Amino acid sequence: MNTGPDTRIIQLVMALRSAGLSDNAVLAAIERTPRDLFVPEGFQDQAFENRPLPIDCGQTISQPFVVGAMTQALELDDRCKVLEIGTGSGYQAAVLARLARRVFTVERYRTLAKEAEGRFAKLRLSNIVQRIGDGSVGWPEQAPFDRIIVTAAAAERPDALLAQLRPGGIAVAPVQRGPVQTLMRYVADDKGQICDEALFDVRFVPLVAGAAKAL
Ligand code: SAH
């Protein structure tokens, strides 16, 4: 009988708390999102470890600490309209969907988008809207967004995306800075002026601009 969250999820949440995540709403969203559903079959035994894992199409599901830290940095509430670039497995989108009003997520690999769609349905997450395409241009028809999260590393400050951020909005994105990638947080003031802050160094797959992959 299923009597609540898997004890492995509770251990993961405790590990994330010890690693410095403190936002209880974010930790609760992680606790309610079974990461084993998002990782390939051969990696089930590692699904609740605090490490990134490979997914289809040569991509990666982020480390849970990074998912939590990025989500925390967004300071979400249930009125937020969020844009995510890089659906991947769908795990980050699923965590966001528990905290925000609606999540718009873009992925360039059709295979990954379709797999993620099945997972969202299984978890009855009905507030996620998907698109297959090049997310480096954002989602102009749906802009502006209250929050933007980029889960692939941009070569430089993602200005096209930041232009789709509402005044007062927050974005997080890994950005290549010399030999390292740094997780950047951007806050748009009331006039739309952007302030940047470097959070910590990370390792993401690259944000690849251009046509979507029909794979
Ligand atoms: N958020 C994901 C992590 C995905 S890894 C998760 O929780 O699993 C980064 C993803 O970004 C990959 O799936 C990659 O295909 C996608 N990606 C890279 N460049 C992109 C682009 N220009 N537009 C949309 N998706 C892109």
Side-chain angles (χ1 to χ4, degrees), residues 55 59-62 84-92 106-109 112 133-136 151-152 205-209:
I55 56 173
Q59 305 302 313
T60 309
I61 176 174
S62 307
E84 181 195 30
I85 307 304
T87 314
S89 68
Y91 180 69
Q92 172 75 74
V106 187
E107 171 55 54
R108 64 193 288 273
Y109 282 103
L112 293 176
D134 178 10
S136 63
T151 65
V205 297
L207 182 72
V208 182

Side-chain angles (χ1 to χ4, degrees), residues 43-92:
F43 293 93
Q44 288 301 312
D45 56 330
Q46 297 171 57
F48 297 102
E49 289 176 22
N50 185 20
R51 57 165 75 160
L53 291 170
I55 56 173
D56 281 349
C57 307
Q59 305 302 313
T60 309
I61 176 174
S62 307
Q63 183 187 6
F65 176 79
V66 174
V67 170
M70 289 176 86
T71 307
Q72 191 168 298
L74 287 176
E75 297 178 13
L76 293 166
D77 66 52
D78 60 11
R79 296 182 305 271
C80 284
K81 176 179 176 184
V82 183
L83 173 65
E84 181 195 30
I85 307 304
T87 314
S89 68
Y91 180 69
Q92 172 75 74

Side-chain angles (χ1 to χ4, degrees), residues 1-206:
M1 198 174 76
N2 187 355
T3 53
D6 193 318
T7 54
R8 294 177 303 164
I9 297 202
I10 294 174
Q11 282 169 356
L12 171 63
V13 168
M14 284 168 58
L16 297 180
R17 203 183 274 285
S18 327
L21 295 189
S22 54
D23 185 322
N24 288 328
V26 171
L27 292 166
I30 290 174
E31 188 171 314
R32 291 172 58 207
T33 308
R35 191 165 180 263
D36 52 340
L37 189 65
F38 295 84
V39 307
E41 263 177 31
F43 293 93
Q44 288 301 312
D45 56 330
Q46 297 171 57
F48 297 102
E49 289 176 22
N50 185 20
R51 57 165 75 160
L53 291 170
I55 56 173
D56 281 349
C57 307
Q59 305 302 313
T60 309
I61 176 174
S62 307
Q63 183 187 6
F65 176 79
V66 174
V67 170
M70 289 176 86
T71 307
Q72 191 168 298
L74 287 176
E75 297 178 13
L76 293 166
D77 66 52
D78 60 11
R79 296 182 305 271
C80 284
K81 176 179 176 184
V82 183
L83 173 65
E84 181 195 30
I85 307 304
T87 314
S89 68
Y91 180 69
Q92 172 75 74
V95 171
L96 295 169
R98 301 199 185 277
L99 298 162
R101 179 164 57 88
R102 199 169 293 280
V103 177
F104 293 85
T105 184
V106 187
E107 171 55 54
R108 64 193 288 273
Y109 282 103
R110 178 173 300 276
T111 306
L112 293 176
K114 290 287 164 205
E115 288 171 356
E117 184 179 25
R119 294 169 181 139
F120 300 150
K122 200 161 178 184
L123 295 176
R124 298 185 196 289
L125 293 170
S126 54
N127 59 338
I128 302 176
V129 186
Q130 295 182 257
R131 168 186 256 189
I132 297 164
D134 178 10
S136 63
V137 298
W139 194 324
E141 301 82 353
Q142 285 295 342
F145 297 93
D146 301 298
R147 302 289 186 266
I148 298 178
I149 175 169
V150 187
T151 65
E156 52 199 40
R157 189 169 109 147
D159 286 323
L161 296 174
L162 296 177
Q164 293 177 18
L165 193 58
R166 195 190 293 283
I170 303 173
V172 288
V175 178
Q176 195 74 43
R177 298 201 309 174
V180 295
Q181 289 174 9
T182 305
L183 184 61
M184 299 297 297
R185 181 172 188 266
Y186 302 100
V187 181
D189 70 14
D190 292 347
K191 296 187 184 74
Q193 290 277 87
I194 307 272
C195 248
D196 337 351
E197 176 193 355
L199 299 182
F200 53 90
D201 289 350
V202 285
R203 275 184 76 175
F204 276 84
V205 297

